[in-house]
Amino acid sequence: MHPRNIYNKEPDFGLLAKEFTSFRPFVKQTGNGRSYIDFKDPEANRELCKCLLKKDFKLDVDFPLDTLCPAVPNRLNYILWLEDLIEDTLPSKKDCRGIDIGVGASCIYPLLGCATNPTWRFLGTEINQRSVDIARQNVRRNLLDEKITIKYNPDPSKIFLVDGDTDYTFSMCNPPFYSSQEEIDQGLLNKELEPSAVCTGSDNEMITKGGEFAFIKLMVMESLQLQQQIHWYTSMIGLKRTIRPLVRLLNDQGITNYTITNFTQGKTVRWAIAWSFHPERPVHVHAIETWRPVYQFEIKLPKEIAFVQECTSDILQDLDINYSVDEEDADEIVLSCKVLGNTWSRAARRQKKRQKLQKEDATDANTTAEAQEPFETSNSLKDFGLI
């Protein structure tokens, strides 16, 4: 759980039942008086979701039983992670504009995002017309028409429905995890223990050709065209085995600014990936160390910050890297570098040394040649009788 997630402490189902009569029929008592619900009951899950959104975020949300029932704590984790990502790389950015790909009937991410961040705005896209209609009803019900726009996507092979003139702070997505119903069934068979909760969802919410890797790969390839129009491209990952090929894909496409995190809710673990074509790199955002880009590191030096700046400047000058000091105070100095080519590898440094030696040899040769040339006097010196 994210440390700011209000559900680090499990909700008291008994108190929730007292506040919401619609939730009361689903609450049961253990022998010691502890309240609980049957998470295998789709109606209980839906009612819990609706009550939590109403109680904690003042959101009035409804959706059919045959569509995905969002686990509120897990969805909130994603929103909080995006907040951290923005704060770490765009600290002055307040009026954020996001895209939710596959917004679903509940419209959970835009609603949660706007409820926790009043200056945020969202574009939600969806390939299922019925889910589009229900999502729009949820937006209207919460009087968020001016902040949330829902678009129907008629082409499942296209991910981003963005206008050429509009920039976005981030995109987010909870893609279909599986490639077929057989893969879902096999996943259930491979579990050592029986699942503790039921998973509802329509086929288009659960299944896509090629599974989640193919879906996110399509996002990556489209992002190569959009580049900096979206500052952070992000997606949830449901299967751990998807992470390695995604990282390989990013590196193959020359995308080196990325980070990977994980979300935990009870026994359920999900992951998320973010990548960007902008230079700002996340440093303090929670990330899985195993999947950090190899060049990215953070160290603490037992020296004054001015001393560190001086040494860093010397290194950058030695590498012929242009830089500027963006911010400078007693606690923080930010150096922005612009690199036009590889000047730091062993091959590059050897080439620089060879060029320096060749230049020195050429200078020595010219000096020797000039010394050997006969001295020619000028007529003016002769005229003055000096020679």
Side-chain angles (χ1 to χ4, degrees):
M1 280 281 189
H2 191 286
R4 295 201 311 277
N5 197 313
I6 61 175
Y7 301 112
N8 275 293
K9 182 180 179 181
E10 184 181 273
D12 187 323
F13 296 143
L15 292 178
L16 205 60
K18 290 180 180 179
E19 186 172 349
F20 298 96
T21 56
S22 59
F23 186 57
R24 198 171 301 163
F26 304 104
V27 178
K28 305 173 184 179
Q29 298 283 333
T30 62
N32 59 7
R34 179 176 177 271
S35 300
Y36 72 97
I37 66 170
D38 180 7
F39 284 100
K40 295 180 183 179
D41 182 349
E43 292 189 46
N45 276 311
R46 181 178 66 172
E47 203 59 41
L48 173 62
C49 174
K50 292 167 60 176
C51 292
L52 289 178
L53 290 173
K54 186 72 172 179
K55 177 179 182 296
D56 296 323
F57 304 99
K58 305 297 185 290
L59 291 171
D60 184 6
V61 179
D62 198 8
F63 48 89
L65 282 173
D66 60 349
T67 61
L68 199 61
C69 177
V72 179
N74 186 274
R75 270 46 175 187
L76 183 58
N77 267 344
Y78 198 161
I79 294 293
L80 294 171
W81 176 63
L82 284 172
E83 290 178 7
D84 291 346
L85 195 60
I86 294 167
E87 177 63 27
D88 204 16
T89 58
L90 298 164
S92 61
K93 186 73 172 176
K94 301 303 177 186
D95 298 329
C96 297
R97 188 183 296 271
I99 305 174
D100 181 16
I101 300 162
V103 67
S106 66
C107 193
I108 183 69
Y109 285 127
L111 291 174
L112 263 183
C114 290
T116 54
N117 298 273
T119 61
W120 284 17
R121 294 176 179 272
F122 273 87
L123 166 64
T125 64
E126 174 60 56
I127 63 171
N128 183 281
Q129 184 62 62
R130 175 176 175 240
S131 292
V132 167
D133 296 338
I134 298 170
R136 286 173 176 165
Q137 291 173 15
N138 281 319
V139 172
R140 286 193 295 270
R141 187 181 292 118
N142 291 280
L143 306 178
L144 289 170
D145 302 73
E146 294 184 359
K147 293 187 176 182
I148 301 174
T149 302
I150 307 297
K151 270 188 181 181
Y152 170 65
N153 181 4
D155 183 4
S157 65
K158 183 173 178 57
I159 301 293
F160 296 101
L161 302 183
V162 298
D163 299 325
D165 298 331
T166 306
D167 290 334
Y168 294 88
T169 315
F170 63 85
S171 66
M172 62 190 311
C173 180
N174 182 20
F177 295 156
Y178 303 102
S179 59
S180 64
Q181 183 60 48
E182 289 73 18
E183 187 179 3
I184 297 176
D185 296 339
Q186 188 61 47
L188 292 174
L189 288 174
N190 290 339
K191 287 184 179 292
E192 294 182 6
L193 300 175
E194 187 178 356
S196 57
V198 67
C199 182
T200 61
S202 60
D203 285 349
N204 69 281
E205 291 174 317
M206 301 290 291
I207 299 170
T208 187
K209 185 178 180 181
E212 65 178 2
F213 171 72
F215 193 96
I216 302 174
K217 179 181 179 180
L218 185 56
M219 292 175 60
V220 172
M221 302 313 291
E222 285 193 22
S223 75
L224 292 171
Q225 304 300 318
L226 295 171
Q227 292 280 320
Q228 295 188 351
Q229 189 172 354
I230 300 174
H231 200 107
W232 282 105
Y233 299 84
T234 77
S235 178
M236 191 180 288
I237 300 172
L239 307 172
K240 189 176 182 180
R241 65 173 183 264
T242 304
I243 299 176
R244 187 178 299 277
L246 277 179
V247 170
R248 190 181 301 119
L249 172 66
L250 291 176
N251 287 317
D252 288 346
Q253 299 303 321
I255 303 172
T256 59
N257 187 6
Y258 61 84
T259 186
I260 295 170
T261 192
N262 58 339
F263 306 136
T264 302
Q265 180 187 349
K267 297 178 181 179
T268 301
V269 180
R270 294 288 181 259
W271 299 265
I273 188 169
W275 67 96
S276 178
F277 297 92
H278 287 264
E280 298 84 6
R281 299 182 183 277
V283 176
H284 303 103
V285 172
H286 175 262
I288 303 175
E289 292 295 330
T290 308
W291 301 106
R292 280 188 183 273
V294 293
Y295 58 80
Q296 182 175 326
F297 60 92
E298 181 178 0
I299 56 176
K300 292 184 178 180
L301 299 176
K303 294 287 185 180
E304 296 295 330
I305 192 169
F307 176 82
V308 176
Q309 181 192 11
E310 182 180 351
C311 293
T312 305
S313 299
D314 290 342
I315 294 172
L316 294 174
Q317 290 172 6
D318 181 59
L319 294 173
D320 293 330
I321 295 177
N322 296 325
Y323 70 93
S324 61
V325 181
D326 290 348
E327 297 179 27
E328 186 172 354
D329 56 41
D331 299 320
E332 183 178 85
I333 296 175
V334 178
L335 301 180
S336 294
C337 306
K338 186 173 184 180
V339 181
L340 301 178
N342 183 348
T343 61
W344 53 87
S345 67
R346 179 178 296 180
R349 294 180 69 81
R350 283 178 175 174
Q351 183 180 5
K352 180 182 177 181
K353 186 175 181 180
R354 283 196 300 269
Q355 291 173 345
K356 182 179 180 181
L357 291 174
Q358 290 171 0
K359 185 176 180 180
E360 290 175 353
D361 291 343
T363 302
D364 292 343
N366 291 335
T367 302
T368 303
E370 289 174 0
Q372 293 175 349
E373 289 179 358
F375 182 75
E376 294 183 1
T377 60
S378 66
N379 291 332
S380 59
L381 292 177
K382 293 178 180 178
D383 293 339
F384 282 102
L386 298 177
I387 56 173

